[in-house]
Structure formats: structure tokens, C-alpha cells
Amino acid sequence: MRGHRPKHSEMSTEARRRATARAYVNVYQRRGRLIQQPCEVCGSPESEKHHDDYTKPLVVRWRCRRHHLDVHHT
Ligand SMILES: [Zn+2]
Ligand SMILES: [Zn+2]
């Protein structure tokens, strides 16, 4: 648990957009509208959601930890 959590108003527009997109898609997933898929690169079931475009919160790619990091470093 961290002491300081930034308030929404303290976040940059970009950070806020990211947080909103993640919250949105998490609700969707909890409701069963979005089903977890294996990593699209290696097929690992330990996949995470990745957004190509945070203005489209429901468009996600499934990537394992490693390939998720790859996509952010290329
Ligand atoms: Zn992978
Ligand atoms: Zn990502």
C-alpha cells in the first residue's frame, strides 16, 4: 500500500486517459464481455491487456508480461 495516490486532477491528460481506459475495460472483463486471450505472440495464458489506443478502451491486445514490455519498448 502506498501513502500517496495522485488525485485524478493531478494527473496529466494522458495518464488520466490511460487510467480511464483501464478502468473501463476491467469492468467489461468482470461482466464477462471481454474474455482473456492467450498472448498473441507466444500463446502464453499469463496475458495482460494492452491498449494500442487509449481513446478506444475496448480495443485491447493480449500480451504476456515479456511481450507486453516489448510492445512498450519498440
Ligand atoms: Zn508472449
Ligand atoms: Zn501496454
Side-chain angles (χ1 to χ4, degrees), residues 19-71:
T20 306
R22 282 203 212 100
Y24 203 89
V25 83
N26 282 341
V27 169
Y28 228 66
Q29 194 178 0
R30 228 175 298 132
R31 290 183 183 162
R33 310 252 188 122
L34 180 76
I35 309 295
Q36 186 175 7
Q37 306 289 328
C39 171
E40 63 182 28
V41 180
C42 69
S44 165
E46 307 266 300
S47 57
E48 304 176 345
K49 294 184 284 298
H50 167 73
H51 284 99
D52 272 339
D53 183 350
Y54 287 105
T55 66
K56 296 179 188 134
L58 296 179
V59 179
V60 295
R61 292 172 171 283
W62 293 96
R63 294 286 185 116
C64 70
R65 186 83 200 140
R66 198 180 132 222
H67 290 124
H68 192 180
L69 288 177
D70 275 0
V71 87

